[in-house]
Amino acid sequence: MLNKNKKPFAFMDIKKNEQGVTFISMLLTLFIIIITMPIIIHFLNYVHPLHHEEELSAQQFFVFIRNDIIMAQHVYSQNNKIYFQLSSEETAVIEQYKDIVRRQVNGRGHETYIRNVDTFTVEQLKDTVKIILTNKEGSTYDKAFSLYE
């Protein structure tokens, strides 16, 4: 009874003819890698990643404008400038200055909202303010904001 042959477990793989990695298979693998590397490097030179920094900065600019509109007591525009009457009896102005759009409070200092701006246009409609922004690369972004009064 003790001399019965045991059956192998499911995870045991019995191979009588196991051979390790041979020197020739290693040379073949190394040869394939050496041949394909220049081809891969050549094709990677033609792949250019997409840069979305300008679009992200425009979207962030629109978030700043939205926050200013929400916090202001009164909003109006004149001569491509947006004016915000703040609760502290101060007036904030958003305008284009050279190639940036800046925010000034009572004409003092400035806070840069976005750079590399070619044109900055403000259109006031009945209950909305529409901002059209064109950057130096020629991309145009626009957004309309509802006025809360």
Side-chain angles (χ1 to χ4, degrees):
M1 191 114 186
L2 294 175
N3 291 337
K4 274 188 171 179
N5 289 338
K6 289 186 178 181
K7 293 183 179 179
F9 292 106
F11 59 86
M12 291 178 60
D13 188 19
I14 299 175
K15 288 184 180 177
K16 301 283 185 192
N17 192 11
E18 278 192 29
Q19 295 180 1
V21 178
T22 63
F23 184 68
I24 294 177
S25 65
M26 284 298 292
L27 283 178
L28 182 65
T29 305
L30 187 62
F31 177 74
I32 291 171
I33 291 172
I34 289 173
I35 294 297
T36 57
M37 284 302 278
I39 297 169
I40 291 172
I41 292 171
H42 178 71
F43 284 121
L44 287 178
N45 287 334
Y46 291 106
V47 176
H48 299 288
L50 297 175
H51 298 289
H52 297 289
E53 287 90 8
E54 295 297 325
E55 183 177 344
L56 287 173
S57 64
Q59 295 301 323
Q60 187 65 44
F61 168 71
F62 291 140
V63 169
F64 290 152
I65 299 293
R66 183 206 59 195
N67 292 344
D68 285 340
I69 288 173
I70 290 172
M71 298 301 291
Q73 291 182 345
H74 180 65
V75 179
Y76 62 96
S77 69
Q78 289 177 340
N79 302 327
N80 278 340
K81 297 179 183 179
I82 304 173
Y83 294 89
F84 302 100
Q85 294 294 331
L86 305 176
S87 60
S88 59
E89 301 299 322
E90 295 179 321
T91 303
V93 180
I94 295 179
E95 63 183 345
Q96 182 176 2
Y97 176 73
K98 297 182 182 178
D99 66 340
I100 65 170
V101 175
R102 69 178 181 180
R103 178 180 188 258
Q104 285 186 310
V105 179
N106 289 340
R108 295 186 310 254
H110 73 264
E111 193 176 353
T112 302
Y113 271 12
I114 189 169
R115 297 183 181 278
N116 299 325
V117 175
D118 191 33
T119 60
F120 174 73
T121 308
V122 179
E123 298 174 1
Q124 183 160 2
L125 305 171
K126 185 177 178 182
D127 290 333
T128 60
V129 171
K130 183 176 183 180
I131 297 175
I132 303 167
L133 182 72
T134 305
N135 62 13
K136 296 282 184 182
E137 282 123 22
S139 300
T140 302
Y141 306 96
D142 64 282
K143 183 149 179 122
F145 298 95
S146 297
L147 300 179
Y148 307 102
E149 304 224 10

